Amino acid sequence: MQSAEIELKFPVHDLAGLQSRLPGLGFHLDTPRTFEQNTLYDTPSRDLRAARQILRLRHYGGLWVVTHKRPSDPSAPGDQASCGVADSYKVRIETETLVEDGPALAAIFHQIGYEPVFRYEKFRTEWSCATPTIDGPLFTDPAHSSELSIGRHLVLDETPIGDYAELEGPPAWIDDILAQLGVNPATCLTDSYGRLFLDWKQRTGSLAEHLTFDEIPASALVQPAPL
């Protein structure tokens, strides 16, 4: 399945408090807290990174999912709906599918020249909102009407370097949920977990090579800056 992914992250300092507010905003729980392992693959010369693309194999509960992400391209069929979205949102074209045998796929990646380059772990809780929670149009530009089919999700990620929420959906819906939660847009992030990890390493001087719980013990945790 291929779709446009429009999202924002923000740091969370009261996970239970945030979750308690979600049902009142129209969210329902899709997936309870579940351990997630992710491995990014690339060529030895980091060709995918240079092209701002990722190839990821995820193990989430009992499921294996392979995902490719790339920047949107105005000239590519199907990408037009995601073009023109403000730079304050992270916009990627995501193609992903379930796979039956993750280790077998990893072996295939190796045979065609793709090797593991980064691993990251988290506990993820997934919530979704079935209907818009705002009055009026979701988009000010009628050209974006095709984005009405974009899902509306909030996930809570407990990572070795702090807790984050991620909102995915139409930009106006994201803005409305941020306002209802009292989140300052200035604290929102478009960085990947890989970038957040590198920034954390720079701040702390950690020698960890991967964003995993075994490499980053709880005693080394540095929470994101307060809202």
Side-chain angles (χ1 to χ4, degrees):
M1 177 181 176
Q2 179 172 290
S3 62
E5 179 186 67
I6 304 172
E7 65 181 29
L8 279 180
K9 291 185 180 73
F10 60 90
V12 176
H13 301 282
D14 182 1
L15 209 59
L18 176 59
Q19 290 201 86
S20 70
R21 299 180 61 187
L22 296 181
L25 297 180
F27 286 90
H28 63 267
L29 181 65
D30 289 330
T31 308
R33 185 176 185 267
T34 301
F35 182 60
E36 177 186 295
Q37 296 173 303
N38 301 273
T39 304
L40 299 186
Y41 290 80
D42 207 337
T43 64
S45 56
R46 301 297 191 269
D47 293 338
L48 292 178
R49 181 177 181 179
R52 297 175 58 211
Q53 300 181 28
I54 69 163
L55 179 62
R56 181 184 68 204
L57 182 59
R58 168 173 289 172
H59 193 207
Y60 185 47
L63 301 176
W64 291 95
V65 181
V66 62
T67 304
H68 174 262
K69 295 187 182 186
R70 62 173 174 81
S72 59
D73 179 357
S75 64
D79 283 18
Q80 289 83 359
S82 62
C83 296
V85 175
D87 291 339
S88 54
Y89 307 93
K90 184 176 182 179
V91 182
R92 307 281 277 171
I93 303 301
E94 178 182 271
T95 306
E96 70 178 13
T97 188
L98 291 169
V99 294
E100 183 175 338
D101 190 334
L105 182 59
I108 292 172
F109 286 163
H110 171 72
Q111 292 299 321
I112 60 176
Y114 291 92
E115 300 293 347
V117 294
F118 180 60
R119 292 184 293 110
Y120 62 103
E121 298 175 343
K122 54 197 175 185
F123 288 91
R124 168 164 281 192
T125 305
E126 296 181 315
W127 296 76
S128 66
C129 191
T131 58
T133 58
I134 59 177
D135 295 325
L138 290 173
F139 295 90
T140 56
D141 185 347
H144 293 158
S145 59
S146 61
E147 289 185 41
L148 291 173
S149 62
I150 295 175
R152 298 162 181 82
H153 305 280
L154 184 148
V155 298
L156 300 173
D157 289 335
E158 302 167 57
T159 83
I161 58 171
D163 300 335
Y164 295 86
E166 190 172 274
L167 281 166
E168 180 180 343
W173 176 83
I174 291 176
D175 292 345
D176 182 67
I177 295 299
L178 291 175
Q180 292 192 61
L181 290 174
V183 176
N184 183 349
T187 67
C188 292
L189 308 162
T190 59
D191 295 331
S192 68
Y193 281 114
R195 169 49 56 188
L196 292 174
F197 172 64
L198 292 177
D199 290 345
W200 176 84
K201 284 187 61 173
Q202 185 174 29
R203 292 196 308 271
T204 64
S206 172
L207 299 178
E209 293 297 322
H210 300 279
L211 182 53
T212 59
F213 290 100
D214 60 338
E215 290 198 36
I216 305 174
S219 59
L221 176 62
V222 176
Q223 285 282 352
L227 295 176

